[in-house]
Amino acid sequence: MALSLRLDQETQEALRQHLERAGTTQSAFVREAIREKLARSSPEASTPYQLGESLFGRYASGDTNRSQARKTLIRERLGAKHRR
């Protein structure tokens, strides 16, 4: 299927620079973008877990019981704040 697309000058320049850095073609870029968008919008890929999967563990604190000890942590922080 042929596709015609009009871009504003700013978007066109940003795309041109990205394609040069990535070493890919416009066609390959658009095909991949369409595949990604279709995958994200499909009902199977829309579970809360799948939507947040890339973020899980990304900013890990190292505390394995952080969610279980949340009330204690909050009390400690509030106590420290009010002692100042």
Side-chain angles (χ1 to χ4, degrees):
M1 166 174 54
L3 179 66
S4 179
L5 180 66
R6 296 187 193 278
L7 301 173
D8 60 81
Q9 192 65 33
E10 184 179 329
T11 304
Q12 182 178 342
E13 182 60 25
L15 176 60
R16 186 190 62 75
Q17 289 176 3
H18 175 79
L19 294 174
E20 284 179 9
R21 284 191 308 271
T24 189
T25 65
Q26 284 183 1
S27 293
F29 180 83
V30 170
R31 277 192 298 271
E32 182 62 26
I34 291 171
R35 285 186 194 114
E36 286 179 16
K37 179 66 176 175
L38 290 172
R40 282 195 311 261
S41 63
S42 73
E44 302 86 44
S46 296
T47 67
Y49 180 83
Q50 289 169 329
L51 293 173
E53 188 173 13
S54 64
L55 302 173
F56 300 150
R58 188 173 194 173
Y59 304 103
S61 66
D63 295 338
T64 56
N65 68 339
R66 190 170 190 84
S67 63
Q68 295 169 340
R70 69 191 183 285
K71 290 181 182 180
T72 305
L73 292 169
I74 291 170
R75 266 190 239 111
E76 289 172 358
R77 288 188 182 168
L78 286 174
K81 180 180 177 181
H82 291 290
R83 275 181 261 166
R84 290 183 196 174

